[in-house]
Amino acid sequence: MEINKDLENSLRRLELLNQVAKDITSTLGLEPRLGFVCQSIIDIMGVKGVSIRLLDQKTNRLELAFACGLSEEYVHKGPVEADKSLAKALEGTPHFVSDAPNDPGIQYPEEARREGLVSVLSLPLKGRTKVIGTLRLYTGEKRSFTRDEIDFLSALAAQGAISLENARSYDALEQQDKAKSDFIMMMTHELKAPLMAVQGLLDVMQKGYVGPLTEKQKELIGRIYRRIDSLTEVSTDLLDIYEWQTKRPDTQSIPLSMNVQIQRAVDLFKTSALEKGLAMDVDLPDQDLILMGSEDEVEKILNNLITNAIKYTPKGGNISLALSASGGSVVFMIKDTGIGINDEDIPKVFDDFFRSKGAKKIDPYGKGLGLPFVKQIVEGLGGTIRVKSEEGKGAEFILSFPPSDGFSTHE
Ligand code: ADP
């Protein structure tokens, strides 16, 4: 039985080490993972509590990252000075105190007594280049730790430290990225007002309020005006994407009938298609296919795809839309008989600012921002988008939304 218990314990240690090693590459949800590690240490080592503290270089204090088995009062007893009780661990070696309430090296002996803590083992969390914090184990009775136990905990702390360092660099990068986007968007927004003011002045000149203009001057002013239009459109599109990206987590998803959404979009664009000499047909199933999302998102997807189909299909062509349920997924297809996309360009159409040569010829003022945005929205809704096309033979965009908890088909 003794051997069995030992084996079981070793197995659990290995499992925990394995789990923490896997966590190294994971970037999300640090808190639940720390909780799991702390609780597992308590179970495996039979200790009263565990804490993980990270060193703040500026204040030289150890800030709490996670604790379990300890009271709120004890955990928040006051600032933990790095060079007092944890100096040894911060030098990189495990440090053991057998009687914390009576040890002169302990910073809060009275609080330790009140909490019922007796022995304390502190292990360094060694990052790639320096110690980044400590892992501490607290016992409720006087006990020591075997070499074997310390080796296991040191290995665990080493793996955990790298995982923590990775998570912190990831957070820092995310923050930098957000700050950069915020700045670009603020600049984009600020640019719009002066651009519109310039257009206003051009308008005044164009209308001859400041003196007569030659035909050449009128033509040049018209070209400047259109260039500015194009710039303001890029700003509006970028701000639209940015707004969606920042608001997306709070967007309320509601069940939407894709049949209704598609019919509405077709009604909206039918006239412009007809005016261009294009036929537009739509094939909707009898049953309502439901997608969880916001009307605004679904509108953006459909409007972008339909406008592209109209734009890139020459007169006399055809645009067909179809909705169906296939293998539990809701599949939406939009197919045109337009200019199509060559093999080399197909993988690039979802890249920001990409535009094919043929597209530039048809519409020199396009931005190449529509499809990347559509892809982001589709993926945000849990779906996928792909394109099938042959140059000169039209393009087909296929969107598929897999079944999920909030996603169903209604009879
Ligand atoms: P834009 O239409 O402003 O160029 P998009 O991001 O919507 O920007 O599309 C990117 C590119 O993908 C287009 O420039 C074009 O080359 C290609 N594309 C998109 N839709 C179609 C389509 N229906 N037929 C042919 N090419 C298309």
Side-chain angles (χ1 to χ4, degrees):
M1 263 174 75
E2 192 75 355
I3 295 175
N4 234 342
K5 224 174 121 200
D6 275 357
L7 271 174
E8 212 171 275
N9 213 348
S10 304
L11 193 66
R12 290 180 67 192
R13 288 186 197 179
L14 274 175
E15 271 171 5
L16 183 59
L17 271 174
N18 192 23
Q19 182 61 43
V20 174
K22 273 200 233 150
D23 276 357
I24 286 179
T25 49
S26 173
T27 46
L28 298 168
L30 184 64
E31 190 135 316
R33 289 188 282 129
L34 286 182
F36 169 76
V37 172
C38 281
Q39 197 52 53
S40 304
I41 295 176
I42 291 187
D43 294 346
I44 296 172
M45 305 299 298
V47 292
K48 181 176 163 62
V50 170
S51 73
I52 294 175
R53 285 186 181 268
L54 297 176
L55 183 63
D56 182 331
Q57 302 279 359
K58 281 193 215 119
T59 57
N60 203 31
R61 283 179 179 163
L62 282 144
E63 301 297 342
L64 186 74
F66 208 90
C68 50
L70 302 167
S71 70
E72 277 296 301
E73 195 189 343
Y74 181 74
V75 168
H76 300 292
K77 55 196 178 292
V80 176
E81 306 296 341
D83 27 328
K84 288 205 175 140
S85 52
L86 296 144
K88 279 268 164 14
L90 287 171
E91 277 162 19
T93 44
H95 180 61
F96 178 65
V97 168
S98 81
D99 184 11
N102 299 305
D103 193 297
I106 289 283
Q107 196 189 346
Y108 292 97
E110 201 35 54
E111 284 78 358
R113 187 192 314 279
R114 241 183 283 139
E115 185 75 3
L117 306 177
V118 184
S119 302
V120 179
L121 174 67
S122 307
L123 297 122
L125 290 172
K126 289 187 201 162
R128 286 178 185 80
T129 53
K130 56 184 185 299
V131 174
I132 61 161
T134 61
L135 167 69
R136 266 191 149 179
L137 280 73
Y138 307 81
T139 69
E141 68 292 313
K142 214 173 230 181
R143 73 165 266 192
S144 55
F145 292 86
T146 63
R147 187 70 255 160
D148 209 27
E149 285 174 324
I150 293 178
D151 284 348
F152 157 67
L153 290 165
S154 302
L156 190 69
Q159 303 270 35
I162 295 178
S163 186
L164 277 165
E165 234 180 13
N166 282 353
R168 287 212 292 189
S169 340
Y170 179 78
D171 281 355
L173 276 179
E174 263 210 326
Q175 269 175 20
Q176 279 173 15
D177 196 47
K178 172 145 190 342
K180 202 171 71 189
S181 302
D182 287 352
F183 176 73
I184 293 172
M185 287 309 135
M186 188 200 58
M187 291 304 292
T188 309
H189 187 76
E190 291 301 310
L191 268 176
K192 275 180 84 173
L195 283 176
M196 284 168 82
V198 173
Q199 273 189 323
L201 293 173
L202 290 173
D203 212 27
V204 171
M205 288 167 81
Q206 184 85 296
K207 289 187 174 131
Y209 296 138
V210 283
L213 296 179
T214 64
E215 279 314 302
K216 187 72 197 161
Q217 284 168 333
K218 273 191 192 159
E219 189 221 314
L220 282 176
I221 287 179
R223 276 165 62 187
I224 300 172
Y225 197 96
R226 277 195 298 280
R227 280 298 168 107
I228 295 180
D229 251 355
S230 161
L231 258 180
T232 3
E233 274 171 30
V234 178
S235 320
T236 310
D237 285 356
L238 283 174
L239 288 168
D240 211 22
I241 297 172
Y242 176 74
E243 192 191 25
W244 177 83
Q245 284 172 341
T246 43
K247 277 198 187 152
R248 168 75 193 147
D250 309 323
T251 306
Q252 290 280 327
S253 286
I254 52 164
L256 295 170
S257 155
M258 281 300 276
N259 309 49
V260 171
Q261 298 293 319
I262 293 170
Q263 191 58 58
R264 199 182 287 165
V266 169
D267 293 343
L268 189 68
F269 288 101
K270 194 126 201 180
T271 326
S272 32
L274 281 176
E275 274 170 5
K276 198 181 162 185
L278 301 172
M280 200 173 195
D281 59 77
V282 55
D283 180 12
L284 298 175
D286 293 337
Q287 74 179 141
D288 245 354
L289 300 185
I290 305 295
L291 177 70
M292 292 300 292
S294 73
E295 279 202 356
D296 188 42
E297 288 174 319
V298 176
E299 260 170 33
K300 282 195 168 96
I301 296 174
L302 296 174
N303 294 0
N304 261 299
L305 294 173
I306 300 176
T307 345
N308 278 349
I310 297 178
K311 194 162 54 171
Y312 300 120
T313 307
K315 194 175 170 187
N318 187 73
I319 297 167
S320 26
L321 295 91
L323 179 70
S324 59
S326 159
S329 300
V330 167
V331 180
F332 166 66
M333 288 185 288
I334 172 164
K335 194 173 176 177
D336 62 55
T337 56
I339 60 166
I341 307 158
N342 68 32
D343 286 352
E344 204 187 306
D345 288 347
I346 285 187
K348 302 182 198 156
V349 291
F350 296 108
D351 292 349
D352 283 342
F353 302 109
F354 173 79
R355 308 202 64 226
S356 69
K357 275 197 193 119
K360 282 183 194 162
K361 252 190 237 155
I362 291 185
D363 171 18
Y365 300 108
K367 323 282 172 315
L369 284 171
L371 282 185
F373 190 24
V374 166
K375 186 166 189 269
Q376 280 190 47
I377 302 178
V378 170
E379 287 173 355
L381 293 170
T384 56
I385 179 167
R386 64 195 171 89
V387 57
K388 281 205 286 192
S389 180
E390 224 181 292
E391 196 165 22
K393 293 198 175 155
E396 181 178 16
F397 288 85
I398 304 145
L399 284 66
S400 174
F401 299 92
S404 68
D405 289 349
F407 178 82
S408 61
T409 53
H410 276 197
E411 289 298 330

